[in-house]
Amino acid sequence: MTAPRITTSFGATTTAAEVVAGIDLTGRRAVVTGGASGIGVETARALAGAGAEVTLAVRDTAAGERAAEDITGSTGTKQVLVAPLELADPASVAAFADAWTGPLHLLVGNAGVMATPLTRTPQGWELQFATNHLGHFHLANRLLPALRAAGGARIVSVSSGAHRRSGIDFDDIHFHRRSYEPWAAYGQSKTANVLFAVEATRRWAGDGVYANALHPGSIRTNLQRHVDQAEIEALRRATPGVAPWKTVQQGAATSVLLATSPLLEGVGGRYFEDCNEAGPHRSGTSTGVAAYALDEQAAQRLWEISAATLGR
């Protein structure tokens, strides 16, 4: 029997502050990857403003400190911490997780790279897949004891509507044989973010750990630093029914909803957009979730490949 789709009174123009209004996160601890800029800052601001202790897990700790000061200034809370994390470097992920002590209630996998030129990590992994999926997969697995210790934890996997551009090419994930196309690589990594939420929930729900994925919307941030703006606008014009640009505060709203809403208690393995659970994607539209991104067999296969890739 299919579970009913989760709907809310919020929508595309709702802000993160509006989503979290009236919610008390006192005593909760959160990690937001990529919390130094873009929607990561606004996600962290909303969580901190509701009383959570928030750790910004960032590549650039100086930028992270500036973001932490800004959040403290706007919320009055001093419970905003900064720690180094390079998702494409397994040693950095391990170091971050090993340094963590105590429970972790909220893990927001927000950081990412978009449409980069072909770049490989020292291990030979394609950079977008390594950063957007493998790094977050590794981080969640290493932090699993802390998530279990929370007695009810949530993982928020920031995907994208671009997942509809590509499923997982299990025969050549890292573009060793096929021609590299930046948007296909990005789409594949974003599909992986959804499949991660599906399989993480299947494996960890018994431990009280649930994961959901989301599309934040189109927001102008430094995520697009590798892409010419004219190219982005051309892609948008070619997309049927494309939604208007969102502000960063609106872009963070769905992440904050998944992290905090009582409606998501004990719910996982789903995909949301505009603060509501998405329906199936229909051809000729720019909304909804592709069936392959929720495929349980693909999710299990990707998990096993990811674990083997990382030597887990």
Side-chain angles (χ1 to χ4, degrees):
M1 182 175 178
T2 303
R5 192 183 305 169
I6 293 176
T7 59
T8 75
S9 60
F10 303 127
T13 60
T14 300
T15 66
E18 290 169 339
V19 166
V20 82
I23 293 177
D24 184 4
L25 298 180
T26 301
R28 302 292 183 91
R29 305 175 75 208
V31 168
V32 179
T33 69
S37 64
I39 64 173
V41 170
E42 299 309 319
T43 300
R45 191 189 315 278
L47 300 179
E53 175 196 283
V54 182
T55 296
L56 310 180
V58 297
R59 293 177 59 191
D60 184 342
T61 53
E65 294 290 353
R66 290 192 295 271
E69 290 176 10
D70 177 60
I71 293 169
T72 294
S74 64
T75 64
T77 181
K78 295 184 178 179
Q79 296 188 101
V80 186
L81 312 173
V82 178
L85 176 67
E86 169 52 78
L87 285 163
D89 178 3
S92 176
V93 174
F96 178 93
D98 291 348
W100 186 269
T101 57
L104 174 61
H105 302 84
L106 305 171
L107 174 58
V108 183
N110 167 83
V113 291
M114 172 192 279
T116 59
L118 178 58
T119 308
R120 299 194 183 280
T121 69
Q123 297 85 355
W125 307 331
E126 189 275 316
L127 181 64
Q128 295 188 78
F129 191 83
T131 302
N132 299 349
H133 168 63
L134 286 176
H136 284 117
F137 173 88
H138 189 192
L139 182 65
N141 275 274
R142 291 293 287 247
L143 288 172
L144 182 58
L147 292 164
R148 286 172 170 155
R154 300 186 189 187
I155 301 173
V156 178
S157 184
V158 180
S159 178
S160 168
H163 80 273
R164 296 186 294 267
R165 290 184 172 274
S166 176
I168 307 296
D169 186 332
F170 286 106
D171 294 326
D172 190 16
I173 287 176
H174 297 286
F175 293 85
H176 289 299
R177 294 178 299 279
R178 56 179 169 146
S179 298
Y180 180 74
E181 201 286 306
W183 288 106
Y186 181 64
Q188 175 181 248
S189 73
K190 295 288 102 178
T191 291
N193 291 151
V194 188
L195 291 173
F196 165 77
V198 171
E199 183 65 4
T201 297
R202 188 186 76 83
R203 288 173 178 256
W204 298 342
D207 296 317
V209 180
Y210 293 85
N212 288 288
L214 70 119
H215 169 46
S218 298
I219 310 104
R220 288 188 174 93
T221 69
N222 66 358
L223 177 65
Q224 295 104 14
R225 61 189 177 275
H226 298 290
V227 187
D228 182 78
Q229 287 300 309
E231 179 184 355
I232 290 180
E233 292 299 338
L235 287 169
R236 286 174 59 80
R237 286 194 297 273
T239 303
V242 66
W245 288 100
K246 291 186 178 185
T247 67
V248 286
Q249 293 83 5
Q250 293 167 344
T254 307
S255 294
V256 173
L257 180 91
L258 298 189
T260 66
S261 173
L263 294 173
L264 274 295
E265 194 69 37
V267 173
R270 306 193 192 188
Y271 174 89
F272 290 71
E273 58 191 8
D274 294 338
C275 295
N276 287 271
E277 185 176 355
H281 172 62
R282 300 191 312 277
S283 179
T285 70
S286 62
T287 61
V289 59
Y292 56 70
L294 296 177
D295 183 88
E296 294 179 357
Q297 290 186 327
Q300 292 181 42
R301 185 179 181 187
L302 177 64
W303 190 284
E304 292 164 1
I305 289 171
S306 302
T309 299
L310 289 162
R312 293 188 58 82

